[in-house]
Amino acid sequence: MQVRRQVAQSVSVVPSQVKLMQGDIELADDMPVPRGQTLQALLKHVEPELFWYPAGKYSYKGKDVISIRYSESREVEWSVCFTDGTSLRLDDEDTRVETSEVAELIGEWGFVRRDLHYSTKDVSYYDEREYTPCEDPAEWESYSNGHHRGERRKPGCDWWEAIRAKKAQDKRWGSIGKHLRIQHEPQQTFILGSLFSSSISFEQQVICFAWYA
C-alpha cells in the first residue's frame, strides 16, 4: 500500500512496522484508503536484533518463532524460541502430537539445521541442534573439543538471547526507567510533500494524518 510506504519512509522504519487505522478498523493493503478523513498510523516496535525477521511468517501458538532447539541424551526435549524473548519447552511428557507438529513445521518452513553439539563416540551419545529461518543472517563457526563437535553462533549473533537479556533488564528498570528513556525521544513533525502532513510523538508512537492523493 502506497500510504503505508509513505508513512514508513517519513519516520525511517520499514512498512511492516506501520499499522494503518481508521478509528477501530485496521486498513489492510487491499482496502481502499478513505480520502480526506483522519487516519491513524501506529508504529510497531521492532527490536534491532530482528531487523531481518519476516514478522508473521513463522507463527506458532500466536507468536513469531525465531528458532527451534532440539536436544537428545537420556531424554528428548524441544524448545521453541519466540521473538519476544520467551520460549516453550516440550519434552517426553508432552503429547507426541505437539512434538510432531513442531518437527513438521521445521520442514514446512524450510528452517536450516545447525548441529550445536554431538559426540563422535557411540558410548557418549549426545545430540543438540538448532533450526533457524533461512533469512537469519547470523554467522556461525565450527568447534571441536576431544570427541565433541559442533557449531556455535559467533559473538553478537544470538538474537534470542540478546532479546531475552534486554527484556530482563527492562523488567529490573521497571516503569520509571522506561518512562525516563522515552522522555529522551524528541517530538518531531513530518511534511510528506502534497500528499499529507502529520505529527508524531514517539512517546505515543501514533501518527494522525489525512490522505488526499
Side-chain angles (χ1 to χ4, degrees):
M1 181 186 288
Q2 183 181 0
V3 184
R4 191 191 309 279
R5 290 196 300 269
Q6 289 280 359
V7 174
Q9 184 178 7
S10 71
V11 293
S12 301
V13 300
V14 296
S16 61
Q17 288 181 247
V18 178
K19 182 178 181 180
L20 297 178
M21 304 288 295
Q22 183 183 20
D24 296 331
I25 302 174
E26 180 178 358
L27 300 177
D29 287 346
D30 58 352
M31 296 174 62
V33 179
R35 311 288 175 133
Q37 299 186 32
T38 300
L39 307 176
Q40 299 81 38
L42 281 64
L43 300 185
K44 297 181 286 185
H45 174 70
V46 174
E47 299 288 351
E49 296 85 357
L50 298 175
F51 71 93
W52 56 270
Y53 188 83
K57 185 176 181 180
Y58 309 118
S59 181
Y60 181 66
K61 292 191 178 298
K63 291 186 177 184
D64 283 333
V65 178
I66 193 172
S67 71
I68 298 176
R69 300 177 182 181
Y70 169 91
S71 64
E72 180 181 359
S73 181
R74 294 182 178 178
E75 297 179 349
V76 174
E77 182 177 279
W78 292 87
S79 182
V80 183
C81 301
F82 301 106
T83 56
D84 63 358
T86 62
S87 64
L88 174 66
R89 294 184 181 275
L90 303 172
D91 54 31
D92 290 336
E93 296 182 0
D94 293 290
T95 64
R96 290 188 177 183
V97 174
E98 195 164 13
T99 54
S100 295
E101 182 182 4
V102 172
E104 289 176 2
L105 286 174
I106 290 173
E108 180 182 325
W109 291 339
F111 272 25
V112 179
R113 171 176 168 170
R114 298 286 184 175
D115 293 311
L116 303 182
H117 183 194
Y118 62 93
S119 174
T120 57
K121 287 188 176 181
D122 294 337
V123 295
S124 180
Y125 180 78
Y126 191 83
D127 184 10
E128 185 177 357
R129 315 169 201 158
E130 182 173 354
Y131 298 88
T132 63
C134 60
E135 297 91 348
D136 190 344
E139 296 182 356
W140 293 75
E141 59 187 3
S142 301
Y143 74 89
S144 62
N145 182 11
H147 60 86
H148 297 281
R149 303 283 191 276
E151 295 178 278
R152 60 192 173 200
R153 293 174 182 266
K154 289 187 177 181
C157 291
D158 195 334
W159 320 126
W160 183 77
E161 287 290 352
I163 294 170
R164 190 168 69 96
K166 188 183 299 183
K167 297 290 185 182
Q169 184 179 31
D170 286 345
K171 189 174 182 179
R172 288 194 297 269
W173 269 90
S175 58
I176 295 179
K178 291 180 181 178
H179 179 70
L180 291 175
R181 285 197 293 276
I182 289 173
Q183 290 301 316
H184 281 88
E185 297 289 355
Q187 185 174 22
Q188 300 186 26
T189 300
F190 301 92
I191 305 298
L192 305 181
S194 61
L195 300 180
F196 60 81
S197 63
S198 62
S199 62
I200 173 174
S201 168
F202 281 93
E203 183 172 356
Q204 296 179 341
Q205 292 188 309
V206 176
I207 303 173
C208 294
F209 64 90
W211 177 253
Y212 295 103

